[in-house]
Amino acid sequence: MTGDTDLSPARLRHARYAIAAVFCTHGAVTGSFATRIPWIQEHAQLSAGTLGLALAAPAVGAALAMPLAGRINHWLGARTALRVLLSLWTLSLILPSLAPNLPTLCFVLFVYGATAGMSDVAMNALGVETENRLGRSIMSSLHGMWSVGALLGSAAGTVAAHAGADARLHHLVAALVLTAAGLFAVQGVLDLRADEEAQAPPHFALPPKSALLIGAVGFCAVFAEGASLDWSAVYLRDVLHTDAGLAAASTTAFALTMALARLVGDRVVDRFGAVRTVRAGGVVATAGGLLVVGVRHPAGALAGFGLIGLGIAVVVPLAFAAAGRSGPAPAQAIAGVATITYTSGLIAPSAIGAVADATSLVVSFGLVTLLAFALVAGAAVLRQGPVVGQAGGDLGGATAKSGPTGLDEPAQTRP
């Protein structure tokens, strides 16, 4: 691995803030898009069913494009690859609101998802490399910054929607602002390149074996996340017969506890290590699921969804971090884990609905509770070897060196 020669504490702190800003920018695109989905549905004259079909396209695009990210990283280097992929992602925000019909919307959302997935892999791979050199956990807070960005983007979108702004104009302005912000942030990230003798990763490849078990842990967490975000309000309304305002509060409770836990999660990981943190999180999320299905009262359900969000918050960041150190192809492993987790997010809402139709929503969240408990048993796959600060792997997937502090055992060093 070649690139930045200045690995002083000041430079590494600057790189950490820069990659955090990248995560925030990435999240802001998602938040900006989500708030204008009703406008896009009306503009393209879609029913609820056809809108659901269109909204599956981003996950398909992401899953198919993610394996390309490792080769792009190898070819261009980490900073240039992130600059290109993040810009494609922010500019893709312009496309969905321009779609006049279902086929066009499916196509542009496929492109939107493909750029989202590739930039996601690139920024997570560089986040892991930055973490390696810092010698302490930062992935949880980086994903927390993604949540902050999503909240900022959705807040701006809510204002635009309330003002009756045309989504085409809103998304054009947002895309240009976020592209500029992303380009500025990328200037500060580490500039890493593969060694000249390193072999380029394949254009497409199945996830390495090392990523499959890690991806399975991420699958459980993302399934619980997707189910809770999409179905918690419905659960309170249909099962507990609350009003719409209280039902919506369940989604807010889940999202807030997860975002806050991610922002402070690195301290917990550095103190207790990844395995113990995820096991404890699995216990907390399981307790939350038991509250949801066992206490037929709105207060119990609200507390339960909050505990689920708290318990699963750091699992996906730690899964990406573990994948980045799981073998000789970090970017390929991260892409594999990302593909598995994206797939989980895609199938979770429909799976919960199918189980609910066959049985009940209570049984559906019983399944969520079982998957939360699986985190307790599966946490061990996040264990990594001894930590050495300022070490890293080939972002393109050719070589890998030792991992950072705090991902399997409590931190012993600080930059």
Side-chain angles (χ1 to χ4, degrees):
M1 175 66 66
T2 61
D4 268 309
T5 57
D6 180 9
L7 295 177
S8 65
R11 172 68 183 106
L12 292 174
R13 282 195 298 270
H14 180 68
R16 176 185 180 176
Y17 298 143
I19 194 66
V22 168
F23 272 75
C24 186
T25 301
H26 194 284
V29 177
T30 300
S32 298
F33 167 73
T35 54
R36 305 314 303 270
I37 289 176
W39 190 99
I40 293 170
Q41 178 184 12
E42 183 178 355
H43 177 69
Q45 298 180 336
L46 304 178
S47 66
T50 53
L51 176 63
L53 176 64
L55 292 177
V60 176
L64 292 177
M66 279 175 174
L68 290 171
R71 193 170 184 90
I72 294 172
N73 261 348
H74 181 92
W75 179 37
L76 298 177
R79 182 189 290 172
T80 301
L82 183 58
R83 181 184 294 118
V84 171
L85 294 175
L86 184 65
S87 296
L88 289 175
W89 163 235
T90 54
L91 290 173
S92 73
L93 178 61
I94 298 171
L95 299 177
S97 59
L98 300 177
N101 51 48
L102 177 63
T104 307
L105 183 61
C106 287
F107 174 75
V108 299
L109 287 180
F110 179 91
V111 174
Y112 173 87
T115 58
M118 289 189 292
S119 56
D120 192 300
V121 171
M123 72 185 188
N124 274 286
L126 193 49
V128 171
E129 291 294 332
T130 305
E131 183 176 73
N132 287 347
R133 287 156 175 78
L134 276 166
R136 67 170 182 261
S137 175
I138 64 169
M139 289 301 291
S140 178
S141 61
L142 291 183
H143 282 251
M145 287 302 297
W146 189 95
S147 297
V148 170
L151 289 171
L152 292 174
S154 62
T158 300
V159 171
H162 184 72
D166 190 304
R168 291 168 292 191
L169 176 60
H170 165 215
H171 282 168
L172 174 63
V173 173
L176 294 177
V177 170
L178 292 173
T179 300
L183 289 172
F184 179 78
V186 170
Q187 286 299 108
V189 304
L190 294 177
D191 187 15
L192 304 175
R193 292 182 175 273
D195 296 328
E196 291 184 2
E197 66 274 14
Q199 182 180 359
H203 288 89
F204 290 96
L206 294 173
K209 292 180 180 178
S210 60
L212 293 179
L213 289 177
I214 296 171
V217 173
F219 180 97
C220 294
V222 173
F223 192 100
E225 178 181 350
S228 298
L229 282 173
D230 287 4
W231 287 95
S232 57
V234 178
Y235 186 92
L236 264 76
R237 184 194 65 191
D238 292 355
V239 177
L240 303 181
H241 309 295
T242 66
D243 60 43
L246 188 57
S250 64
T251 304
T252 302
F254 175 85
L256 282 178
T257 56
M258 189 165 71
L260 291 173
R262 281 181 170 175
L263 289 172
V264 302
D266 291 321
R267 296 180 183 179
V268 179
V269 174
D270 279 338
R271 177 68 178 84
F272 298 104
V275 175
R276 279 179 282 181
T277 299
V278 171
R279 280 178 179 157
V283 171
V284 171
T286 302
L290 291 174
L291 276 176
V292 170
V293 301
V295 179
R296 301 299 178 86
H297 190 278
L302 288 172
F305 284 117
L307 288 175
I308 293 174
L310 180 64
I312 67 173
V314 301
V315 177
V316 171
L318 291 179
F320 280 125
R325 287 174 300 279
S326 64
Q332 185 182 342
I334 289 173
V337 169
T339 301
I340 294 169
T341 57
Y342 266 67
T343 301
S344 179
L346 174 63
I347 68 173
S350 58
I352 291 296
V355 173
D357 283 343
T359 55
S360 69
L361 266 178
V362 175
V363 174
S364 294
F365 278 96
L367 173 61
V368 171
T369 304
L370 288 175
L371 290 176
F373 184 73
L375 296 175
V376 180
V381 304
L382 302 182
R383 179 175 287 113
Q384 297 295 321
V387 175
V388 178
Q390 299 187 7
D394 179 356
L395 286 172
T399 61
K401 304 181 180 68
S402 53
T405 300
L407 291 207
D408 55 294
E409 298 297 339
Q412 300 297 327
T413 63
R414 293 291 181 272

